[in-house]
Amino acid sequence: MKCDINRAENHLVKATLIVNGAEIKDVPCKIYLPERTHEKPHLVFKPTKDDGVRVMGAHKGVFKAVFHGFGKEIQTAFEAPEVYFSGGSTKHWGDDISETTVHGEPQNLLVVHPFRGGEEAHSTHLVFWLSPNKFLTPCSMRSTSYTGKVDYECVRTIKFTIKELGNIDFQKHFRSKSTTNGDLLQWSYLVGCAEMDVPASDAKFIQDNLLEDIDDFLLIAGFAARQRTACLGWTATDNSAHVTYYRGNYSFPDGKNSDLNDCVVDIQDFEQFIEVCYPSFLKYENKLALRNALYSAVPSKANTIETTFLHTFAGLETLILDFRRTENLELVMPPTEFTEFRKALQGFISKSETPKLEPSQRASIYSKLGELNRVSLREAFEFFCKSYAIDLSDLWPVFGNKDVVGLVEIRNKLIHGDPFPHEIYEALFVANEHLKYILERVLVRVLGWDVIKTKVTPAFLAMYCTAIRDLSRLQESLKEYLLSAPKVSARDTSVTKDCCPA
């Protein structure tokens, strides 16, 4: 969400811009810092006409500025390694009189307030701003006195240990401002607080060594709550400086889904879930694959049903392919053996008389022989489910048969841009719900948690999930549609097999 610039700026400075390797100094710049943690900072530059042409001709640049207080001492320093320029315009008021305005979106903006005569730091207090998460938000009681004073008392604290960061205390912090009519507006936001022996000004250390660990922890917590959670920025304070970091080049979650009933695990099991699943995540070898699957299970924003289905299936397929590699299930036989087998097949095909093959047909078949040595996704998936003891018998089958259209067939149809008609959307919606439950069960088992202690068990879904009740009817309607739809060509089918061999 963009910062509100219909208010007074926080700072007015002379900035230095580095554009296409060249410095542009003393550019007047208004700095608007966010009032809320989910907003992003904004810059408004007022360059000269010639400098404006150089800035507007570039897509991005580097931003630096220093605000001096009394005695020429640095009061505040600003730095952003990237700032994206947009909305450039020039107003001409007469001969040689013009006003140029360029808007900028700084990424990873660092704001440093040094303390005069600050001693060497021994400990830094870190406050990480977090997007909403119903499980990480501490419970508090609010009381209002007859004078109108509002007090908050925390009744449940939440603390966890995160890899390199150590203990982190999740709290609810408050901000306030006076409105135009004089009222006091107050709001709360979620934070994670920690102490570390690192200089507050060393934002690079925090970014390179701590941020990934926080993101991974929040990914597990967000999965449990079905609420994508992210670190939006932080403040760091020690004896020498107060530093604020606004995270950029990152999509902030919308913070929706505050329903405590809509989650993968119950809130009473959340702390134990983290104690089991976070260490399992840390031990998982291919974290990139696991992260991708978790991101697919908890998207940052709503998408179309088709995009959501493909994204969720990609998360499931990522885990299966990773399992196939780690368990050596990629090839049916060693390459040297298959080379001899392939020669034998080519000899048989070349001598075929019934049917008689044209040279172009033989060439097309030869090009596909390599696929025969790949273990199919279906076979790898069956090994995968057996290895992790995953039962999916109550859900829409991932791979179909003559009676039921599998989810993989829906995926193949969507990925080739073949749209579903409006009357089939109910079936597509239910199929997507089942795919989501499949991915969640798979992730729960990969992370070492018992499916029975979740809200994706067969018993729970049968009782509370409407997507289970009409399964047979919708599967039949989808089967009838696919049977009546035009068949894809042989060339299209080969591409499907390459993308998702079944």
Side-chain angles (χ1 to χ4, degrees):
M1 181 180 293
K2 288 188 176 181
C3 181
D4 177 21
I5 61 172
N6 296 315
R7 57 178 173 84
E9 66 276 5
N10 298 94
H11 299 277
L12 178 60
V13 297
K14 288 186 176 181
T16 297
L17 294 175
I18 302 176
V19 177
N20 294 328
E23 272 195 357
I24 305 176
K25 295 184 176 181
D26 297 329
V27 180
C29 173
K30 293 181 179 181
I31 301 176
Y32 296 86
L33 298 178
E35 293 181 334
R36 299 176 184 260
T37 57
H38 62 271
E39 298 173 341
K40 298 190 177 185
H42 190 85
L43 307 176
V44 177
F45 300 101
K46 295 288 185 176
T48 64
K49 180 180 177 182
D50 291 339
D51 288 341
V53 172
R54 295 166 64 190
V55 172
M56 287 189 291
H59 170 61
K60 64 179 181 179
V62 178
F63 165 76
K64 295 179 181 180
V66 175
F67 179 75
H68 293 278
F70 295 107
K72 299 291 185 179
E73 292 186 352
I74 296 178
Q75 183 170 318
T76 311
F78 306 87
E79 184 175 351
E82 286 183 326
V83 54
Y84 297 105
F85 304 120
S86 64
S89 62
T90 299
K91 291 182 180 179
H92 295 274
W93 302 104
D95 290 342
D96 297 326
I97 301 177
S98 63
E99 179 185 14
T100 300
T101 302
V102 179
H103 293 267
E105 303 292 338
Q107 308 301 311
N108 299 325
L109 176 65
L110 185 67
V111 183
V112 180
H113 299 276
F115 296 146
R116 181 182 299 180
E119 301 176 359
E120 183 179 351
H122 296 289
S123 179
T124 294
H125 181 63
L126 292 164
V127 178
F128 296 96
W129 313 328
L130 310 179
S131 63
N133 183 291
K134 55 201 173 192
F135 285 176
L136 292 175
T137 303
C139 295
S140 59
M141 293 183 64
R142 185 179 70 174
S143 60
T144 307
S145 70
Y146 68 93
T147 62
K149 180 182 178 182
V150 179
D151 292 318
Y152 293 87
E153 180 183 359
C154 184
V155 296
R156 183 175 73 95
T157 59
I158 301 175
K159 294 183 179 181
F160 290 104
T161 301
I162 300 179
K163 200 180 175 185
E164 299 296 333
L165 190 62
N167 293 328
I168 185 167
D169 183 12
F170 293 92
Q171 301 176 7
K172 187 187 289 185
H173 282 192
F174 295 85
R175 287 183 183 175
S176 62
K177 72 171 184 178
S178 296
T179 62
T180 53
N181 60 5
D183 292 335
L184 183 67
L185 178 64
Q186 186 183 65
W187 63 91
S188 64
Y189 57 99
L190 180 64
V191 299
C193 302
E195 302 286 335
M196 281 207 73
D197 294 330
V198 56
S201 57
D202 195 352
K204 189 175 189 313
F205 177 87
I206 299 173
Q207 186 179 23
D208 294 346
N209 297 279
L210 304 181
L211 191 55
E212 184 177 279
D213 294 332
I214 294 171
D215 284 341
D216 287 340
F217 176 86
L218 295 176
L219 190 54
I220 302 297
F223 169 66
R226 283 196 185 128
Q227 187 175 24
R228 175 76 76 87
T229 312
C231 176
L232 314 179
W234 67 77
T235 59
T237 309
D238 60 14
N239 296 335
S240 60
H242 175 79
V243 179
T244 306
Y245 184 92
Y246 299 93
R247 193 171 187 181
N249 289 323
Y250 193 83
S251 176
F252 290 178
D254 57 22
K256 295 180 179 178
N257 188 16
S258 59
D259 184 0
L260 281 172
N261 293 314
D262 184 13
C263 46
V264 174
V265 298
D266 196 271
I267 190 170
Q268 66 182 0
D269 296 319
F270 174 64
E271 292 189 27
Q272 187 182 1
F273 177 86
I274 293 295
E275 290 172 0
V276 171
C277 297
Y278 181 58
S280 296
F281 175 90
L282 295 179
K283 294 176 184 177
Y284 196 87
E285 185 175 352
N286 187 355
K287 289 184 177 57
L288 183 61
L290 187 50
R291 287 190 192 106
N292 181 71
L294 286 163
Y295 284 134
S296 297
V298 195
S300 61
K301 59 183 180 180
N303 286 307
T304 63
I305 187 68
E306 294 90 347
T307 301
T308 301
F309 189 97
L310 290 174
H311 192 207
T312 306
F313 197 97
L316 178 64
E317 189 173 5
T318 297
L319 291 176
I320 300 169
L321 294 177
D322 182 57
F323 175 81
R324 182 157 68 179
R325 293 187 187 102
T326 56
E327 298 297 320
N328 197 24
L329 294 173
E330 291 190 274
L331 302 178
V332 176
M333 63 180 70
T336 52
E337 293 183 14
F338 183 73
T339 299
E340 296 300 318
F341 179 68
R342 182 171 185 162
K343 289 180 180 178
L345 283 178
Q346 287 177 332
F348 172 79
I349 294 168
S350 65
K351 297 176 182 178
S352 175
E353 295 292 336
T354 309
K356 182 72 173 179
L357 298 175
E358 297 295 329
S360 60
Q361 292 175 315
R362 287 200 302 270
S364 180
I365 294 173
Y366 291 157
S367 68
K368 298 178 184 299
L369 291 181
E371 298 174 15
L372 297 177
N373 199 35
R374 287 178 54 82
V375 174
S376 70
L377 188 68
R378 180 173 196 151
E379 188 177 357
F381 182 65
E382 290 172 355
F383 278 116
F384 176 82
C385 290
K386 185 177 180 180
S387 176
Y388 283 104
I390 302 171
D391 179 16
L392 303 173
S393 58
D394 61 311
L395 298 173
W396 196 308
V398 175
F399 298 93
N401 51 46
K402 61 182 180 64
D403 298 317
V404 178
V405 173
L407 297 176
V408 70
E409 294 174 78
I410 300 174
R411 178 262 193 197
N412 290 342
K413 188 173 178 65
L414 290 174
I415 206 168
H416 288 294
D418 197 355
F420 282 81
H422 180 74
E423 58 269 21
I424 302 297
Y425 260 60
E426 183 184 4
L428 184 59
F429 175 81
V430 170
N432 182 67
E433 286 292 294
H434 280 249
L435 180 57
K436 181 185 76 170
Y437 298 139
I438 289 170
L439 180 57
E440 287 176 342
R441 276 193 202 171
V442 164
L443 283 167
V444 162
R445 292 301 303 130
V446 168
L447 292 172
W449 189 250
D450 190 349
V451 174
I452 297 300
K453 297 172 69 176
T454 69
K455 293 190 176 184
V456 289
T457 63
F460 184 91
L461 294 180
M463 182 175 295
Y464 297 105
C465 178
T466 56
I468 298 292
R469 299 168 191 168
D470 293 334
L471 182 58
S472 299
R473 175 179 64 84
L474 295 173
Q475 285 177 334
E476 186 62 30
S477 67
L478 192 60
K479 177 185 173 183
E480 291 176 358
Y481 165 70
L482 290 178
L483 287 175
S484 61
K487 302 296 183 182
V488 295
S489 67
R491 182 177 297 275
D492 288 338
T493 303
S494 69
V495 174
T496 300
K497 287 182 178 180
D498 287 339
C499 295
C500 183

